[in-house]
Amino acid sequence: MSLALSSGTRIRRFDPSLVPLALAGLFLAMLVLLPLGWLLAYTLSDEAGRPSWTNLMQLADPSLFWEPFVTTFGIALGVAALACAIAVPLAWLVARTDVPGRRLLRGLVMVSFITPPFIGAVAWVLLAAPNSGLLNQYYRWITGAGAFDSLFNIFSTTGIIFVMGSYAFPYVFVLVANTLDRLPYDLEEASAILGGGRWHTFRRVTLPMVLPALLAGFLIAFLQAMTQFGTPAILALPAGFHVLTTKIWSLFQFPPKTHLAAACAMPLLLVTILLLRAEKLLLGRRGYTMVGGKSGTPRLTPLGLWRWPALLLALFILFSTVLLPNLVLIRSSMLRSIADPWTWQTITWANVPLVFGLTNTLDALRNTLVTGVAAATLGSVFAVLIAYLTARKAVPGHQVLGFLATAPVAIPGIVLGVALFIAYTRPPFQLYGTLWILLLAFLTIEMPPAYQQMQAAFRGLNPELEEASRILGAGRLTSLAKVVAPLLKTSVAATWCFIFIGAIRELSATILLTTSQTKLVSVLIYDLNESGALGGIAVLGLVLMAVTAVVVVIANRVANVGVVTQGR
């Protein structure tokens, strides 16, 4: 009795390690609430700082808001539909059929995660621009069509939907394929035994279990298309029309209209919040739950004579969406002009010294690596601390911390860029023009998935070892560092890689936050696209993807784990 009392008293005494943990919570609150507070303040005030509804009233102008918004909404619907149309059949083939090369197909899908979408957009300009695109050149050569005839036009709404969908479908694929992998075959077998046909079993058993993942994937693809800047800037602006993100970016051109930009960003933020809420309400009404775990390996559906045609179709889809853009980047990096044939006589390495001879290329590479590694390291530590506070209910108000950690998922990158620009260009935090503001942007954007991953890891970890450590006199922070963290190194390594890849790929927020001294490779690639230096873009894009792959491999080797990562 006395031992239990003394142990309980020891645990309940004031723990000094709670102070840094509480400070981490306060920093999280500042990270999220300060920029959003300034965004709202600028929306509801004029240039003189007086309260005003003028900015919101100007949104009634069709060319300012409604036309870009309707265009964005239509493109996002098309992208989400295309992503699901590609991903669901591929996921079913890989997870539930005996198609050959299932591991190869999964690997090819994962390759797309290290390819930033804006680099993919440049690759498709090289492939499908109306006049200079490689595919259109081959079309004219084969058919004898006129010099200005073209089969493809990537500078169109259809082209934008295709390119965005090509880099959005892997997210849907991963969600649906993982769900199918975990789906017990017993349920489908029981339906068949009771007389249900294949269509009835799919409609009443398989589909309800996969529907949450499918809806989540649809929403992810939709929100990515709504909030993406790079691909529309590369493909829509030359076509002469705006989407909402490019319109917000244009308001920062000289003379900047930050109050109006803040007002344009608010509807995008509200739409994102409403869509996330609608998904939660929709799925919350239905009981999509598996009772029990995976009951062994599912019985694969035999395709018979269709096995090899199905494999060829899947390879063709992945070649067109994943491999072909990367191959054209390799080709373009070796040619002086994209119109040159690819022969031993025309191959050159002139683009490499040309790109690295630019005054800011090495600085951009250094800035990218420094901010990426710093964001991944600090973000992982921060995610561990916040997940620990919420999972162990260590401080009062831990529910609020959980909400704040997941809230940035509803903040599009371009909106966050506007908010950070407003918040950190004035005292006491004048961070614009430094790498610190980029670091804050990456931490905010990548916090929700990092926190959710660590939260799931803590839920799966029994707290008894940690409690034993505290009974023996260790504080919470010591127990976390010496007992809990080593047990979670796999999840920490996965979180680190996730944040790093997300930071490397980010353009929507950074396009508003960089200066000539703080350029990142993503922004430098966009600048080169403005000047038409496509060979240089190909070199930088390949370097960026190679550096990303190498850093992720090193991180996994250091952690001594094999981690499969997903990019932002």
Side-chain angles (χ1 to χ4, degrees), residues 20-31:
L21 290 172
L23 291 176
L26 291 175
F27 176 73
L28 174 64
M30 187 194 76
L31 193 68

Side-chain angles (χ1 to χ4, degrees), residues 510-541:
T510 54
I511 194 69
L512 301 178
L513 302 176
T514 56
T515 65
S516 59
Q517 303 300 317
T518 60
K519 278 191 185 297
L520 303 180
V521 172
S522 57
V523 179
L524 181 58
I525 288 174
Y526 180 75
D527 290 345
L528 289 175
N529 179 71
E530 294 276 279
S531 62
L534 297 180
I537 292 175
V539 171
L540 271 180

Side-chain angles (χ1 to χ4, degrees), residues 90 104-113 169-170 173 318 322:
L90 278 178
L104 171 64
L105 295 178
R106 286 183 188 265
L108 289 176
V109 173
M110 294 304 165
V111 168
S112 66
F113 281 122
F169 88 84
F173 172 89
L318 293 175
V322 178

Side-chain angles (χ1 to χ4, degrees), residues 140-411:
R140 288 190 286 268
W141 177 67
I142 292 172
T143 64
F148 298 102
D149 293 335
S150 61
L151 183 62
F152 304 103
N153 181 11
I154 206 65
F155 300 115
S156 63
T157 301
T158 305
I160 294 173
I161 291 174
F162 173 76
V163 173
M164 284 187 169
S166 298
Y167 292 93
F169 88 84
Y171 296 94
V172 187
F173 172 89
V174 169
L175 290 170
V176 175
N178 287 346
T179 301
L180 289 172
D181 285 337
R182 297 193 303 268
L183 181 64
Y185 183 75
D186 300 355
L187 299 175
E188 296 168 313
E189 192 173 51
S191 174
I193 291 173
L194 294 173
R198 288 189 176 183
W199 170 246
H200 180 83
T201 299
F202 171 78
R203 184 171 58 87
R204 299 300 298 272
V205 178
T206 308
L207 183 60
M209 300 300 295
V210 176
L211 189 57
L214 182 58
L215 288 177
F218 183 94
L219 182 64
I220 288 173
F222 183 88
L223 290 178
Q224 278 196 344
M226 282 281 290
T227 61
Q228 196 175 134
F229 171 79
T231 300
I234 292 170
L235 301 180
L237 293 183
F241 66 91
H242 275 288
V243 297
L244 201 51
T245 53
T246 60
K247 192 64 181 180
I248 293 173
W249 168 79
S250 70
L251 294 174
F252 275 81
Q253 307 310 300
F254 187 83
K257 302 175 182 177
T258 51
H259 290 262
L260 192 55
C264 285
M266 289 301 291
L268 190 57
L269 176 61
L270 292 176
V271 167
T272 307
I273 294 173
L274 289 175
L275 287 173
L276 292 172
R277 182 63 180 167
E279 183 208 22
K280 185 176 181 179
L281 290 175
L282 180 62
L283 296 182
R285 292 169 179 255
R286 307 291 294 270
Y288 301 126
T289 306
M290 285 186 288
V291 180
K294 181 179 176 181
S295 58
T297 303
R299 187 180 305 170
L300 299 178
T301 301
L303 297 179
L305 295 176
W306 291 100
R307 292 175 71 235
W308 292 104
L311 174 62
L312 291 176
L313 178 61
L315 288 175
F316 173 77
I317 292 173
L318 293 175
F319 175 79
S320 301
T321 57
V322 178
L323 294 181
L324 185 59
N326 290 330
L327 288 175
V328 79
L329 287 176
I330 295 173
R331 176 187 184 277
S332 299
S333 68
M334 297 180 180
L335 299 175
R336 292 185 181 275
S337 170
I338 60 174
D340 292 342
W342 199 11
T343 65
W344 287 111
Q345 290 73 29
T346 58
I347 289 178
T348 178
W349 299 105
N351 288 318
V352 177
L354 177 65
V355 169
F356 285 92
L358 297 175
T359 56
N360 51 2
T361 299
L362 293 179
D363 289 338
L365 278 171
R366 185 184 67 251
N367 293 339
T368 301
L369 282 176
V370 168
T371 54
V373 171
T377 304
L378 294 176
S380 299
V381 172
F382 199 46
V384 169
L385 292 177
I386 300 301
Y388 175 79
L389 290 174
T390 56
R392 299 296 185 253
K393 303 177 181 178
V395 294
H398 56 86
Q399 300 95 333
V400 177
L401 290 180
F403 170 77
L404 290 175
T406 54
V409 75
I411 308 175

